[in-house]
Amino acid sequence: MVSISLCMIVKNEEAVLARCLESVCDLVDEVNIVDTGSTDQTVAIARRYTDRVFFYEWTGNFAAARSASFSYATKEYILYMDADDVILEEDRHKFKKLKEMLDPAVDSVSMFYNAGEDSFGNVTLRYRRNRLIKRSRDFQWKGDCHNYLEVTGLIVNSDIAITHRKIKHSVSRNLNIYKMKLERGDPFTARDYFYYGNELKDNRHYAEAIESYKRNIELNTGWVEDKINACINMADCYRYLNDQDNELTALFQSFRFDSPRPEALSRIGDQFKRRQVYRTAAYWYEQAIRTPENNTQWSFSYPAYRTWYPNLQLCVCYYYLGDLDAAYRHNEEARKYRPQDPHVLHNKQLLEAKRA
């Protein structure tokens, strides 16, 4: 059985740190917590779980802080988590089996990151990350924020998930990091332009976000998955600016890079549904449903756009097209994911009355 060091960076996480550590501390052989300047009870809570609590002067660079936390690891593999992450019970069982069976030749194990959930427990955002890495390979963190590990070698894709359950969100923190980067005159990579666009979008600077996404798309460098998502996110910005023509153009632009993603297909359906062109809208929603799940996908995946969401919209489209049986069938599909959704329940009651 391999040995594992948990490495974390924390700051003012008293509300969530114990929850995180309770879910993982018995799965690992060592817990290293690096505090970057807490003023609450974070350090005291950390010391209830480990005597390996260290301190790091915050420089504004997450990659440097994460690398500092890795420097304290002494076991064969390093697992990293954020304080508002947890490992749920099903994934704890999978993790234990992985630890028992892992071939020491493996350099990294990727795991799902379930970065968001809706009120019904459905995952809203999922992607893969190199989560358990061999310490001796000395893999390095890259990026000022939205960091990633530069990993090579033998990588195994597991079905284990780390679940993110935040209770607060620093909306402008990452945006300020990128703005400081610009003020210093630091060069931006294609990846920087993508994530800067995301931060601008989240802070409702839609026109600026569009320009940043365009810079990402125009560059010949960068990950193709980021370019696909840049097109889709750019379309959202155009929608917020009430520019429907450019919204649709941006969505179709995403097709240039790879096969259509359900996130784009459902949004195209939305465009035609808003125009009350229901048959065309239904076509695009049907394509979204037919897109199979890709469990090897590393980029952002929003499962709603191939599951309950297009089914719920198809219910509406077929209702107005006069096909009540199809409307009911798709509403029932949506109900599998959102059994108490008031829109789904309203549709069910209405359609049952009309079909009686």
Side-chain angles (χ1 to χ4, degrees):
M1 182 185 301
V2 300
S3 60
I4 300 173
S5 296
L6 173 67
C7 294
M8 300 177 62
I9 59 170
V10 298
K11 181 179 180 180
N12 292 335
E13 300 288 3
E14 65 179 5
V16 292
L17 182 57
R19 181 187 67 180
C20 172
L21 293 174
E22 286 291 338
S23 77
V24 68
C25 64
D26 63 323
L27 301 178
V28 298
D29 304 282
E30 176 181 87
V31 176
N32 301 292
I33 297 181
V34 174
D35 186 82
T36 63
S38 294
T39 56
D40 63 3
Q41 293 300 305
T42 294
V43 171
I45 293 169
R47 284 179 170 150
R48 298 208 307 255
Y49 294 87
T50 180
D51 59 357
R52 296 180 63 80
V53 178
F54 308 97
F55 299 91
Y56 177 83
E57 185 175 350
W58 178 245
T59 64
N61 187 305
F62 280 95
R66 291 192 188 278
S67 294
S69 73
F70 278 19
S71 71
Y72 294 107
T74 66
K75 305 304 179 183
E76 295 169 274
Y77 285 84
I78 297 174
L79 172 73
Y80 69 92
M81 295 174 65
D82 290 331
D84 48 6
D85 293 337
V86 294
I87 305 181
L88 301 181
E89 196 58 36
E90 179 182 353
D91 295 299
R92 281 172 46 79
H93 290 302
K94 293 177 182 178
F95 194 102
K96 288 176 182 177
K97 290 182 179 179
L98 172 73
K99 185 178 179 183
E100 292 170 359
M101 304 296 294
L102 186 61
D103 183 344
V106 170
D107 295 300
S108 175
V109 178
S110 82
M111 300 180 187
F112 291 119
Y113 192 38
N114 292 340
E117 297 174 303
D118 66 17
S119 58
F120 300 97
N122 300 305
V123 175
T124 56
L125 171 59
R126 163 178 276 192
Y127 50 95
R128 282 193 173 276
R129 304 189 78 173
N130 284 298
R131 181 66 71 169
L132 184 68
I133 60 168
K134 185 180 287 186
R135 181 175 64 89
S136 62
R137 291 299 307 275
D138 194 28
F139 295 127
Q140 296 298 304
W141 285 97
K142 303 291 183 179
D144 299 309
C145 60
H146 297 293
N147 322 122
Y148 65 98
L149 275 168
E150 198 166 64
V151 173
T152 57
L154 179 57
I155 301 172
V156 173
N157 291 338
S158 76
D159 63 349
I160 302 168
I162 304 296
T163 297
H164 184 58
R165 288 190 166 168
K166 66 183 178 184
I167 61 172
K168 62 180 180 178
H169 179 53
S170 301
V171 177
S172 61
R173 181 192 64 192
N174 291 339
L175 179 61
N176 290 334
I177 290 174
Y178 280 116
K179 285 186 174 180
M180 289 172 59
K181 192 175 171 73
L182 282 172
E183 289 171 4
R184 293 194 302 266
D186 294 352
F188 265 45
T189 64
R191 188 176 190 276
D192 287 328
Y193 282 119
F194 172 65
Y195 280 101
Y196 183 42
N198 290 348
E199 296 299 331
L200 289 165
K201 173 176 169 284
D202 288 347
N203 285 273
R204 302 183 181 183
H205 304 305
Y206 301 125
E208 293 175 71
I210 288 168
E211 293 307 310
S212 195
Y213 289 134
K214 284 181 177 178
R215 295 293 297 273
N216 169 275
I217 295 165
E218 290 165 357
L219 289 172
N220 292 326
T221 56
W223 193 24
V224 68
E225 298 288 346
D226 285 349
K227 296 185 186 299
I228 293 169
N229 281 293
C231 293
I232 295 170
N233 293 351
M234 184 166 62
D236 286 347
C237 293
Y238 280 123
R239 183 174 73 254
Y240 297 139
L241 295 172
N242 297 313
D243 187 343
Q244 292 190 41
D245 290 341
N246 276 317
E247 176 192 358
L248 196 58
T249 298
L251 291 169
F252 282 118
Q253 188 178 5
S254 72
F255 294 6
R256 287 174 45 204
F257 300 103
D258 200 0
S259 57
R261 300 297 163 81
E263 292 85 355
L265 295 167
S266 283
R267 283 169 168 83
I268 295 171
D270 290 344
Q271 261 250 5
F272 288 101
K273 178 172 170 282
R274 289 196 298 268
R275 299 177 187 180
Q276 300 182 357
V277 187
Y278 295 114
R279 194 164 299 283
T280 304
Y283 168 83
W284 291 104
Y285 290 131
E286 293 279 7
Q287 302 312 306
I289 289 171
R290 293 189 182 112
T291 305
E293 182 179 12
N294 181 2
N295 283 325
T296 64
Q297 181 175 332
W298 283 71
S299 63
F300 295 153
S301 171
Y302 299 84
Y305 286 105
R306 60 170 181 76
T307 56
W308 69 266
Y309 181 79
N311 275 295
L312 185 58
Q313 305 314 314
L314 280 164
C315 170
V316 175
C317 290
Y318 282 120
Y319 175 84
Y320 284 111
L321 289 169
D323 189 341
L324 299 185
D325 288 341
Y328 186 82
R329 184 174 69 253
H330 284 291
N331 192 65
E332 287 298 291
E333 286 298 314
R335 193 161 71 91
K336 292 177 182 177
Y337 297 90
R338 297 171 67 87
Q340 300 303 318
D341 186 316
H343 299 291
V344 173
L345 294 177
H346 169 78
N347 293 345
K348 180 177 173 62
Q349 183 179 21
L350 174 67
L351 289 165
E352 286 178 345
K354 285 188 173 291
R355 293 167 75 229

